[in-house]
Amino acid sequence: MSLDGFSMHPLTRELDTALAGGRIDKITQPNKQSIILSVRQPGQNFLLHISINSQNPSAHLLEKNLENPEPPVFCMVLRKQIETGRIAKVRQHGLDRLLLIDIDSLAAGGRIVTKTLVLELMGKYSNIILVQDGIIIDALRKIGANSSRVRTVLPGQTYELPPGQEKKD
C-alpha cells in the first residue's frame, strides 16, 4: 500500500506518543536510503526506521536492529548534530507526506537549540533533511540546480517546502 497524507496522520500520532520526550541514543545508516534512530524512553527503547526508498518510503518502529556497516557522511553529521538530543514533537505538515521531528539539543554555552529532521516521504522525491532555524544543515539526497528546476536542497540554503499540488486536504 502506498503512503499518503491521510494514512500518515495516525502514523504521526503513534510516533509522537511513542517517541516524544525520548533521547536519541544512537544513529545508524544500514544502507544508502535509510537511517535508524535508537530512542530511549524511561524503561523502554524504540528503533525508528526511516526509509526513502523510491518504491516504498516509510517511517516505522522496528523490533530488532539491522546490520550496521561503516557510517556514511550523512550519518556522521546526524550523530554530531542530534545524537543525545530529546525528541520534542513528531508532527505532520497539513495532510502532506511530510513528517517533521523536532529535536532539542544542547549547543555551545549550554543553550538549547531545536533542530528539525524533515522526512519527505514522496516516492521518488523522498528525502531526509536536517534543518535548524530554516537553514538546511545537511540532506541525505542533495539536489542541485542541474537536477531540479523547481527547488534545490543543499547545505546552507534556506529550506523550502516541496511545491504544492493545488489539492484539497
Side-chain angles (χ1 to χ4, degrees), residues 22-98:
R23 184 172 60 92
I24 298 173
D25 255 358
K26 188 175 181 184
I27 301 170
T28 58
Q29 189 172 348
N31 57 51
K32 288 193 270 188
Q33 298 180 334
S34 64
I35 62 168
I36 297 175
L37 303 178
S38 290
V39 180
R40 181 180 298 265
Q41 288 279 34
Q44 202 170 12
N45 294 332
F46 293 98
L47 296 170
L48 175 61
H49 181 252
I50 304 162
S51 173
I52 61 167
N53 182 321
S54 61
Q55 302 300 318
N56 188 23
S58 65
H60 59 275
L61 298 174
L62 291 176
E63 294 290 321
K64 61 179 185 164
N65 211 344
L66 301 176
E67 186 178 320
N68 183 26
E70 187 69 28
V73 174
F74 183 68
C75 183
M76 297 301 282
V77 169
L78 288 181
R79 286 179 180 177
K80 180 181 180 211
Q81 296 287 335
I82 63 174
E83 204 167 63
T84 71
R86 292 221 179 262
I87 295 178
K89 182 119 181 100
V90 178
R91 55 193 169 93
Q92 181 180 10
H93 178 73
L95 277 180
D96 281 339
R97 294 170 289 173
L98 287 174

Side-chain angles (χ1 to χ4, degrees), residues 95-165:
L95 277 180
D96 281 339
R97 294 170 289 173
L98 287 174
L99 271 180
L100 300 122
I101 303 174
D102 295 326
I103 302 163
D104 294 335
S105 57
L106 286 176
R111 61 187 181 90
I112 296 175
V113 294
T114 300
K115 297 174 183 163
T116 303
L117 195 61
V118 180
L119 314 178
E120 298 178 348
L121 304 176
M122 303 178 170
K124 69 179 184 174
Y125 301 109
S126 296
N127 205 349
I128 302 172
I129 305 166
L130 183 63
V131 177
Q132 180 181 348
D133 299 327
I135 304 297
I136 298 171
I137 296 173
D138 204 1
L140 187 54
R141 282 194 187 141
K142 294 169 183 66
I143 302 166
N146 58 348
S147 301
S148 173
R149 296 179 263 120
V150 180
R151 76 176 184 145
T152 57
V153 178
L154 295 168
Q157 289 185 336
T158 302
Y159 174 74
E160 296 176 18
L161 290 169
Q165 298 180 345

